[in-house]
Amino acid sequence: MGLTIADTYYLKAKAASGYDWDEVCESLNYALSYDENHCAALCLLGKVYAGNLNQYTEAFDCFDKVIAIDSQYMDVYPVYAKYLIWADEIERATKLIAFALTIKGISKGSLFWLSAYASETKEAYKDALKQLKKAKKYSYNDDYFSFIEDEENRIKKKLKLDKSKSKKKKSSSKKRKKKNK
């Protein structure tokens, strides 16, 4: 089995992404005209819609179509979850991540990082740190492990910010009580 014409055009689009948007669009259109259910091309089209055009509805339609075509297509889940978080669809992202974790062979480290990212957006920093700990367990190279450690450090700084705010509130409320007496 060789590459299909749709595969060839998808690979051209992928290679051009980031620098030649005319080529990306043209190649994606060709890929999808040869195979309207080409999961990789639909996923890349969703990335273009969300990441470059901020058209989340169209992007989510592409990602949903990929999942409907092949629910085992692993590449769609991390991308879809990230854009759901960006679009402030945290509950939907959390459900998608939970489902994706059941897929055999999927990158659990990246899904746990995304789960931490979702928790962070809700200011649930302790939960985010728990998710990052899980992500570290599923990290299989030093670069990704270092990335997760950097994420942990950043979230710990945010926790310290929250603690300092709560200390200031407590001390100011104590001062008010003393003044009132």
Side-chain angles (χ1 to χ4, degrees), residues 8-73:
T8 304
Y9 280 112
Y10 159 72
L11 290 173
K12 283 183 181 182
K14 185 176 179 184
S17 62
Y19 72 93
D20 188 353
W21 293 109
D22 286 338
E23 178 69 26
V24 171
C25 294
E26 184 178 336
S27 295
L28 277 177
N29 283 328
Y30 279 129
L32 292 169
S33 71
Y34 282 102
D35 180 1
E36 65 185 29
N37 294 325
H38 193 275
C39 290
L42 285 167
C43 195
L44 183 56
L45 181 59
K47 286 181 187 180
V48 170
Y49 276 131
N52 301 95
L53 301 173
N54 294 322
Q55 295 178 359
Y56 292 110
T57 303
E58 291 82 354
F60 298 161
D61 288 344
C62 289
F63 299 140
D64 287 335
K65 186 172 181 181
V66 170
I67 293 169
I69 294 165
D70 182 4
S71 64
Q72 300 298 304
Y73 185 74

